Amino acid sequence: MDPKGKVAVITGGASGIGRATAQRLAAEGASVMIADLDEVMGAETIGLIEAAGGRAAFVKADVTDEAQSKAMLEAAVTRFGGLDILYNNAGIGLPTSAFHTLELRKWRRVLDIDLQAVILGTALAVPLMEQRGGGVIINTASMAGLYPFKEDPVYGAAKAGVVNFTYSLAPWAGRLNIRVNCVCPGVVDTPLVRKAAEAAKRAGHKPNLPSKILKPEDIADAVLTLIRDDALAGRALEVRPSGPRLVDVPAAPGTRR
């Protein structure tokens, strides 16, 4: 899919990976609807895109709420004429690996945003994309969804769910002409990561950060690759500082590749 002339919705689009991807897609000629809870950062992102000659708008939305998520997608249709690309990017983590010491509502919120909102957004996007003859859905997973992640097991569990959800929707490419893929970044320099590092310092711990950290623009490039390549469906693209790598999809027992 060529992003030029297409309509994209990006959740968590006001900062970090979402902002970088919004800027990249707008630069490629897409009209971008940015969804986020942070109206100030959202307005700033819109300003950056418009200053560069792009088209973008903002909608405040809690992606865990069905009515707000539906309104978010319909806002893109009303403003720009349809929906071709959905980037389920909004995400949060926990401040500690000791999730059992936290209130249930805190780690349930991680599961709601990082996994269930991805499923919800995907479901709501289908009828709108069918009206356009198909579309592309990209989900932000994580390397934490591919490998054990002792720093935040709940986050890792949610992201592993996103990876499997993506694999399982590979048949949609042939059935609905909707390609679903996910991007699995390593540690990225985002407000979420910086906030976690600061919390670790306040607790007297050394932040567990690698020597090389990805930039949000690295992930935006990966998302664009997944959007453009029509041969990719139900695939996970792992992104490390050394470069991107397509992850082999595990075969179910009794099946042939």
Side-chain angles (χ1 to χ4, degrees):
M1 177 184 286
D2 182 353
K4 185 175 182 180
K6 300 299 190 296
V7 179
V9 172
I10 300 177
T11 70
S15 63
I17 294 170
R19 171 182 284 186
T21 305
Q23 290 178 291
R24 185 64 190 274
L25 290 182
E28 294 290 329
S31 299
V32 183
M33 178 63 70
I34 294 169
D36 208 295
L37 290 174
D38 192 330
E39 295 177 275
V40 174
M41 294 295 285
E44 185 177 293
T45 302
I46 297 299
L48 291 170
I49 290 172
E50 291 181 341
R55 297 182 70 202
F58 176 83
V59 59
K60 184 175 181 179
D62 178 345
V63 292
T64 67
D65 182 274
E66 182 180 3
Q68 292 186 44
S69 291
K70 188 174 183 180
M72 165 189 81
L73 298 177
E74 290 177 345
V77 175
T78 300
R79 180 68 178 269
F80 298 123
L83 176 67
D84 304 293
I85 300 163
L86 171 62
Y87 182 24
N88 289 310
N89 170 69
I92 61 171
L94 290 174
T96 175
S97 61
F99 67 93
H100 57 284
T101 66
L102 302 175
E103 296 173 82
L104 172 62
R105 63 178 179 84
K106 290 188 176 180
W107 46 270
R108 181 169 283 169
R109 182 70 173 165
V110 173
L111 294 172
D112 285 346
I113 294 176
D114 293 2
L115 176 57
Q116 296 208 64
V118 171
I119 299 172
L120 174 61
T122 299
L124 294 174
V126 170
L128 299 177
M129 288 183 171
E130 286 184 312
Q131 293 175 14
R132 306 274 278 187
V136 176
I137 299 172
I138 310 295
N139 303 318
T140 292
S142 170
M143 284 178 61
L146 299 174
Y147 312 102
F149 189 53
K150 65 181 185 298
E151 288 79 10
D152 189 344
V154 175
Y155 177 85
K159 293 302 186 178
V162 172
V163 172
N164 195 278
F165 178 66
T166 299
Y167 289 162
S168 301
L169 294 182
W172 279 16
R175 189 184 307 154
L176 304 174
N177 197 31
I178 296 175
R179 291 189 297 108
V180 184
N181 293 296
C182 66
V183 61
C184 300
V187 179
V188 185
D189 184 13
T190 65
L192 179 65
V193 169
R194 289 194 293 270
K195 184 178 179 180
E198 291 166 2
K201 288 179 181 178
R202 287 195 300 269
H205 304 302
K206 182 180 179 181
N208 187 23
L209 297 175
S211 57
K212 292 185 178 180
I213 299 179
L214 293 160
K215 298 180 294 183
E217 291 76 15
D218 296 325
I219 315 308
D221 289 343
V223 171
L224 185 59
T225 295
L226 292 171
I227 291 171
R228 280 181 165 161
D229 194 339
D230 290 335
L232 299 178
R235 299 300 301 272
L237 184 62
E238 180 181 355
V239 185
R240 302 186 181 202
S242 57
R245 178 187 75 90
L246 273 175
V247 180
D248 291 330
V249 181
T255 62
R256 295 181 179 179
R257 289 189 180 277

